[in-house]
Amino acid sequence: MKYTRFVAAAICGVVLLSVSACSDLTGVGSDVGAPLEGGDPESFEIVPDSIGTTTSPSETGFAAPARVPTNQRRTWRFLAGRVEDPLAGGIAAEGYVDLDSSNAIPESIQEADADTLEAELRLTTTYLHGDSTSTVDVELFDLVQEEEMGGAPADTTLETEMQAAAAGSVSPTDSLVTLSLPSSWIAEHQDVLLDPSANLEEDFHGLKIAPTSGNAVVGFNYGTAQLRIRTASRSDSVDYRLEKAFTHIEREDPGGSYADELEQGSQVLLDGVGIGLSVVWNDTLVSTSGDTLVASNEQNLPLNRAEITVPVDTAQTQASLGAAGVPASFVRPLPSGYRIQATRVTDSPQCSRFGLFSLSQTAQTCLVPTSPDWVPYAARASSEVAFTIFDYALSSSIPFSSFRAELAERDTQSPTEQQTARRGLPSTLPVVVRTEAPTGDTEALPRVTLVVTPL
Amino acid sequence: MSLLSSRGVVWSGVLVGLLLLGSVGPVHAQSNGDGSIYSRFGLGTLQDFSSSQGEALGGGAYALRTLNYNPMGNPALWGDQVFTRLSAGASFHRIAANDGEGPSSRLSSGQIEAFQFSFPLYEQTLGVGLSFQPYSQRNYRTRNQGALDLRVAPPDTTNNGIAEVPYDVNFRGSGGLHSFRGGLGYRVADFLRVGASVDVLYGVLESERSTEFGNAPIRDVTTVDKARLVGVGGTVGAHLSLNSLFQSDDMFSVGGSLRLPTTLSGTRVLTLAEGSPLTADTLSSVDGEVSLPWRSRFGIAYQPNARWTFTADGLYEPWSTFTTSFRQRAPFGRQFPVGGEAALTDRWRASVGTEMVPAAGDQLAGYFANVAYRLGAYTERMYVRPDGETDLRTYAVTGGMSLPTSLSGTRIDLNLTAGTRGTTAGSLVKDNFYGFSLHVNFGERWFQERRLR
């Protein structure tokens, strides 16, 4: 009984307050007197002030050391072959590999005569662009000097011996490709390859796999590629894994057979060679007036949502496979990823201010995480960072002078945000994008979609 | 140790007060929940609480002398005090708002009606009164609903990826002005009393608009237009009572008070908050002033005997003289107060009430014979005129019971009110409302020297 009065009083107070939270709300009252504050949310589609293609060769070089996560070693690839693509025309890819040391060379091999040994490159195919029934003939060349391959752009040229060391052929549909090297090549490199004390990383410079004929570019897995040397009896062998690899990609013959059939205002983006789409929004996105966004630095604009979308015309991209002269066995997958780079305006905040990643080579370039859900239909910036960028733009000015969208092949369907900002795997894939909308359909154009609630 | 024992009553009052204060934030220090859309205009819904007795008698009783209450409406009455008095009260209101077309909004709110503390410096000669109570309350709530067509997924062969994303724009008013008063009442003669108080008005009037998209991956945006105001004013009052005027032992009283014009100064701030959790960013801040008009109260009371009491009261405030230096300025995009000065008009209020105590002062009568039964009614022309043309009126009946306790100066009051406010003409809204309130009025001879009689 001692606490009865407290309980009773507490109940009285709590009841008076708690029952006050029982409102059943409708829109009654919204029309009373002066209009309620602000406006309803509105959506605006803003196309770029300029759209064009720029070429920046993809980084196709890879070195095993710690400059990249080790899991990339398992999924990285290098390419070799030549393809006549209906969208992009002739594309050639030359693969370069350099070997890592092996500390398990059997004595029987160390002491063997080169004539009694066999050598072969063993490659696992992971990529195909071209005619799957075509046989790709290749030649192997020795590099004349040690080269820095890691991070090298695809237009880098590495010097090789004039004379091919070997020749072989690749069937694109084979999961394992072997390219044999002759005894003379083994003899030439025996002192380096078969001597455990030799400095293989410096004294063996590497091999180039160059196509001579065929209509396909084939990709080989970096992590499983190896040079195997074994005795003729196959009783003993030694495997050398890769230390680094690089793919040189070149567009030999711009303009494929379908290029003339593309709709007006279409552009071809090409991976490897590095043709990307550059878009620029001028600093005119500051406030609303009526149903359009107009320039003004005097008014804040609450932003609910922002999306940066660069649509890919997958319909035209796929339709090109039906062009005249393209065999039915021609294989060209749609891209598995895109990457967006943003170039900072001088004195604008650092990339991290917007949740972007920095490109180490230049602090002016930021990498924009993209949404994997939209692949292959569009390169779409992550909603969070798009919001941050345009929230800043609406209250101050656009912090980036341009955005560049490019293809970036991924090794997983669900990359993390950080992974979507990384460079892609080497590829030669093209896609079609729209830079003009003759019918006024801005949905096909690169655009920013803003949802704002006027104050 | 019943609830109505002396200590129980004290603790009940204190606890109810602490609960009410502690369970609401500083901005909403005296209210919680949703109320009339008309609180969006002007400085909110004006509050007129004087005492729980007066509330049940139609909201007036500015001339009624009583030992059990300390009416704040007229400081002249504070000179009559015998007990040190602590009063606290809270109320609950329910509103059904309709515009004559769609379904009604049903809104509930709870609020503190007042904290009052008073004591005699010289018994029945000079008394002190202190009070903390709402001056106005802003607690409207309404919303607009709509939908946007947005591309939320990539197009494929079966779906263009465009979805209709619904949104709610919620408009909510909160806060209000509070009044902290302190003053003296003095009995000049047996028939004449005068009083005065210093009134500090302060508070925050908030208008919030929140655009919400539910579970859609779109950021909610909330803008808050907040005016912080503070100012000091004063009230003077007088009271005249005549005994045995119409019959023996009757009492006729006339009283009134005048709250002087008050200037409040302050700052108006617009903030914007986005995302979750919402973090507010100040977009603009301007300083300004508002000038409140004077408020006059006048009442008469007649007590023919100890059983019956009759009151009639009036109130007038010329809100047409209201001025403000807060001007519409980007990015506020709207006037302060909403609708500007054109949305305000002179306010008047008239009320009547009666009280009956069956025991008529016989302490030996039964418990319910010593309960005071009250009934009242009032009509009011509101000081806001949202469309600039239509006067809004309130009509209400009031009632209540005052329950005696084992302490002679202490009572617990339960009051009821029901009425209607506004009209559905034009684009206006009619509120049908009811409410009840609980008050603890504790009186004891604290701080007073006990004398052997």
Side-chain angles (χ1 to χ4, degrees), chain A residues 5 17 19-20 22-24 26-28 32 34-41 302-304 384 387 391 443 453-454, chain B residues 8 23 32 34 40 92 94 103 105-106 108 110 141-144 151 153 167 171 209 211 219 221 274 334 427:
Chain A
R5 54 180 178 269
L17 284 177
V19 292
S20 67
C22 301
S23 293
D24 178 13
T26 69
V28 170
V32 172
L36 288 162
E37 296 80 2
D40 289 338
L303 182 63
N304 301 102
E384 278 298 311
F387 181 93
D391 195 38
E443 285 281 306
T453 305
Chain B
S23 54
N32 186 29
D34 309 313
R40 177 174 169 243
F92 166 80
R94 180 81 170 165
S105 279
R106 300 187 182 279
S108 304
R141 191 176 171 201
T142 186
R143 72 178 179 196
N144 284 339
R151 185 178 292 282
Y167 63 80
F171 300 89
R209 182 192 57 170
T211 307
R219 290 200 184 202
V221 167
E274 298 168 319
R334 63 195 71 92
S427 298

Side-chain angles (χ1 to χ4, degrees), chain A residues 99-326:
Chain A
L99 303 180
D100 209 349
S101 300
S102 173
N103 53 10
I105 305 173
E107 285 187 9
S108 58
I109 292 182
Q110 292 180 37
E111 297 164 358
D113 187 90
D115 291 337
T116 65
L117 297 174
E118 296 175 350
E120 63 184 16
L121 272 176
R122 299 170 63 84
L123 307 172
T124 307
T125 56
T126 58
Y127 169 87
L128 171 61
H129 174 197
D131 185 354
S132 60
T133 62
S134 165
T135 298
V136 180
D137 294 322
V138 297
E139 289 181 334
L140 304 181
F141 296 85
D142 280 317
L143 270 68
V144 298
Q145 60 188 16
E146 194 64 21
E147 300 281 2
E148 286 296 329
M149 296 183 189
D155 60 348
T156 303
T157 302
L158 306 181
E159 189 179 356
T160 62
E161 301 285 358
M162 298 294 291
Q163 187 71 34
S169 61
V170 175
S171 176
T173 55
D174 285 350
S175 58
L176 177 65
V177 171
T178 57
L179 298 172
S180 297
L181 289 150
S183 299
S184 58
W185 184 86
I186 299 173
E188 185 180 346
H189 298 286
Q190 189 170 16
D191 293 344
V192 176
L193 290 174
L194 303 183
D195 181 355
S197 62
N199 187 348
L200 191 66
E201 286 79 3
E202 291 192 5
D203 297 335
F204 181 79
H205 306 315
L207 287 165
K208 176 173 85 170
I209 307 168
T212 55
S213 67
N215 187 22
V217 172
V218 181
F220 305 107
N221 179 258
Y222 178 94
T224 58
Q226 57 190 11
L227 173 72
R228 173 170 294 175
I229 296 177
R230 63 189 171 206
T231 58
S233 63
R234 304 198 170 187
S235 58
D236 292 306
S237 66
V238 56
D239 292 333
Y240 299 89
R241 294 192 177 275
L242 300 192
E243 180 201 12
K244 50 195 173 185
F246 166 68
T247 303
H248 173 83
I249 302 174
E250 203 170 292
R251 194 177 189 186
E252 296 178 330
D253 176 22
S257 58
Y258 193 76
D260 293 338
E261 298 182 43
L262 288 175
E263 294 177 24
Q264 185 185 349
S266 300
Q267 292 280 352
V268 174
L269 306 187
L270 183 57
D271 201 7
V273 172
I275 301 176
L277 190 70
S278 179
V279 295
V280 175
W281 282 279
N282 291 335
D283 190 14
T284 57
L285 310 173
V286 182
S287 71
T288 58
S289 174
D291 58 355
T292 58
L293 282 170
V294 298
S296 167
N297 288 309
E298 297 174 357
Q299 201 169 16
N300 284 280
L301 195 58
L303 182 63
N304 301 102
R305 181 182 194 239
E307 301 290 354
I308 304 171
T309 309
V310 179
V312 169
D313 191 338
T314 54
Q316 283 201 89
T317 303
Q318 292 299 84
S320 67
L321 296 176
V326 178

Side-chain angles (χ1 to χ4, degrees), chain B residues 128-213:
Chain B
V128 175
L130 299 166
S131 75
F132 176 68
Q133 61 191 81
Y135 170 84
S136 69
Q137 185 182 18
R138 175 166 286 177
N139 60 353
Y140 69 87
R141 191 176 171 201
T142 186
R143 72 178 179 196
N144 284 339
Q145 293 180 298
L148 286 175
D149 289 334
L150 295 177
R151 185 178 292 282
V152 296
D156 56 33
T157 53
T158 59
N159 190 339
N160 64 5
I162 295 176
E164 192 174 74
V165 179
Y167 63 80
D168 279 352
V169 184
N170 289 299
F171 300 89
R172 185 194 293 266
S174 59
L177 297 180
H178 316 306
S179 166
F180 183 79
R181 299 178 66 197
L184 296 170
Y186 178 61
R187 188 175 69 175
V188 180
D190 282 345
F191 62 91
L192 179 63
R193 291 149 202 87
V194 295
S197 69
V198 175
D199 307 345
V200 178
L201 296 179
Y202 69 97
V204 180
L205 295 164
E206 279 193 16
S207 295
E208 175 186 299
R209 182 192 57 170
S210 177
T211 307
E212 299 169 2
F213 290 88

Side-chain angles (χ1 to χ4, degrees), chain B residues 99-385:
Chain B
D99 55 10
E101 295 178 357
S104 298
S105 279
R106 300 187 182 279
L107 309 165
S108 304
S109 65
Q111 74 171 109
I112 296 171
E113 300 235 296
F115 282 110
Q116 298 174 338
F117 180 65
S118 59
F119 57 92
L121 289 176
Y122 296 98
E123 190 174 305
Q124 290 192 301
T125 303
L126 181 64
V128 175
L130 299 166
S131 75
F132 176 68
Q133 61 191 81
Y135 170 84
S136 69
Q137 185 182 18
R138 175 166 286 177
N139 60 353
Y140 69 87
R141 191 176 171 201
T142 186
R143 72 178 179 196
N144 284 339
Q145 293 180 298
L148 286 175
D149 289 334
L150 295 177
R151 185 178 292 282
V152 296
D156 56 33
T157 53
T158 59
N159 190 339
N160 64 5
I162 295 176
E164 192 174 74
V165 179
Y167 63 80
D168 279 352
V169 184
N170 289 299
F171 300 89
R172 185 194 293 266
S174 59
L177 297 180
H178 316 306
S179 166
F180 183 79
R181 299 178 66 197
L184 296 170
Y186 178 61
R187 188 175 69 175
V188 180
D190 282 345
F191 62 91
L192 179 63
R193 291 149 202 87
V194 295
S197 69
V198 175
D199 307 345
V200 178
L201 296 179
Y202 69 97
V204 180
L205 295 164
E206 279 193 16
S207 295
E208 175 186 299
R209 182 192 57 170
S210 177
T211 307
E212 299 169 2
F213 290 88
N215 294 325
I218 303 177
R219 290 200 184 202
D220 297 342
V221 167
T222 299
T223 57
V224 178
D225 185 347
K226 186 184 299 185
R228 295 181 183 277
L229 299 170
V230 63
V232 180
T235 301
V236 295
H239 183 267
L240 183 70
S241 62
L242 302 172
N243 294 325
S244 303
L245 182 64
F246 302 112
Q247 63 184 56
S248 64
D249 294 332
D250 72 349
M251 184 165 65
F252 179 77
S253 302
V254 179
S257 66
L258 178 69
R259 203 202 58 211
L260 305 175
T262 305
T263 298
L264 308 182
S265 58
T267 305
R268 186 182 180 199
V269 177
L270 183 68
T271 61
L272 167 65
E274 298 168 319
S276 180
L278 292 170
T279 51
D281 179 26
T282 300
L283 300 183
S284 184
S285 175
V286 295
D287 294 332
E289 291 183 342
V290 298
S291 295
L292 307 184
W294 49 268
R295 173 185 289 180
S296 63
R297 294 181 172 103
F298 178 81
I300 57 174
Y302 181 61
Q303 293 168 283
N305 48 50
R307 176 170 290 136
W308 288 97
T309 298
F310 301 95
T311 62
D313 299 271
L315 179 150
Y316 180 75
E317 282 181 284
W319 278 91
S320 57
T321 63
F322 172 90
T323 59
T324 177
S325 65
F326 286 112
R327 297 298 173 201
Q328 181 178 354
R329 187 182 303 177
F332 286 98
R334 63 195 71 92
Q335 293 176 300
F336 179 85
V338 174
E341 289 134 354
L344 302 179
T345 187
D346 295 346
R347 174 193 182 214
W348 58 256
R349 189 177 195 281
S351 62
V352 293
T354 183
E355 175 183 288
M356 193 269 283
V357 182
D362 179 5
Q363 299 294 323
L364 299 178
Y367 181 80
F368 287 100
N370 277 292
V371 171
Y373 300 92
R374 296 163 184 156
L375 191 63
Y378 70 89
T379 181
E380 174 180 341
R381 183 170 81 173
M382 296 172 65
Y383 80 114
V384 297
R385 196 161 52 179

Side-chain angles (χ1 to χ4, degrees), chain A residues 428-446:
Chain A
T428 52
L429 298 180
V431 291
V432 178
V433 293
R434 306 297 295 268
T435 57
E436 296 175 30
T439 60
D441 178 18
T442 58
E443 285 281 306
L445 294 178

Side-chain angles (χ1 to χ4, degrees), chain A residues 356-388:
Chain A
L356 310 183
F357 302 99
S358 297
L359 197 58
S360 57
Q361 291 91 329
T362 166
Q364 286 300 107
T365 302
C366 303
L367 301 173
V368 181
T370 58
S371 171
D373 296 340
W374 287 71
V375 176
Y377 303 103
R380 183 149 162 135
S382 155
S383 296
E384 278 298 311
V385 297
F387 181 93
T388 309

